[in-house]
Amino acid sequence: MSANDLRGCIGEYWHGNEPSHHVVYLYCYAGQPWKAAERLHLVVTTQYGSQPGSLCGNDDCGQMSAWYMFTCLGFIRSVPRAIITSSVRPASQSRAESFQRKKIHNDAENILNQNIYVQSIKLNGKNWDSPFLPYKN
């Protein structure tokens, strides 16, 4: 665990309390997805780990773990669309019912602490210039 306390506090942001999990993604709605990438990287690297006791907050019904997994994949569901963010994994592939079971493939080459920003997004082989991806409920 980092210098942050076990409740998951980073300044005024409280990641260890599940109702706050959407807050970092609001940067995308404000037109500043690079700020979301910076904060998401900070949360993932300081509030999660692979050792016992390295998860901040209380993982009620798996919410903390689910947030972590989707953030590592580089997207998270929002209403009425998904938000594409920088991945913390070099590559990932998933299928989602909401995306009509189409593959979601994320290539994140050369991930480093200073190389965390989305450079481009392609949807069906075409450039996509938004951090939002529509899906069906």
Side-chain angles (χ1 to χ4, degrees):
M1 186 58 60
S2 71
N4 296 315
D5 69 17
L6 292 176
R7 296 173 299 156
C9 291
I10 302 173
E12 296 297 316
Y13 173 67
W14 188 5
H15 186 74
N17 188 10
E18 290 91 344
S20 300
H21 282 181
H22 70 287
V23 171
V24 176
Y25 290 95
L26 292 177
Y27 282 110
C28 293
Y29 285 96
Q32 300 177 339
W34 60 91
K35 287 186 179 179
E38 292 169 358
R39 281 18 173 238
L40 289 167
H41 184 76
L42 177 67
V43 171
V44 166
T45 58
T46 64
Q47 303 303 310
Y48 294 87
S50 60
Q51 301 300 315
S54 62
L55 174 65
C56 72
N58 184 1
D59 197 14
D60 298 339
C61 300
Q63 171 60 27
M64 301 292 291
S65 301
W67 184 95
Y68 174 76
M69 292 305 297
F70 277 106
T71 299
C72 286
L73 289 172
F75 73 94
I76 197 159
R77 280 187 58 165
S78 178
V79 177
R81 52 198 165 197
I83 302 172
I84 305 298
T85 62
S86 57
S87 173
V88 296
R89 306 283 308 153
S92 63
Q93 186 168 300
S94 58
R95 289 185 187 268
E97 191 66 39
S98 301
F99 299 110
Q100 301 170 337
R101 308 247 347 120
K102 292 183 180 177
K103 287 182 186 177
I104 299 170
H105 186 81
N106 183 340
D107 285 321
E109 298 175 5
N110 302 318
I111 295 176
L112 302 168
N113 284 337
Q114 66 274 14
N115 189 17
I116 59 171
Y117 304 102
V118 173
Q119 300 300 313
S120 66
I121 300 171
K122 290 190 183 284
L123 179 63
N124 298 326
K126 297 179 182 171
N127 289 334
W128 186 260
D129 64 353
S130 171
F132 303 108
L133 185 63
Y135 65 84
K136 292 185 175 187
N137 285 330

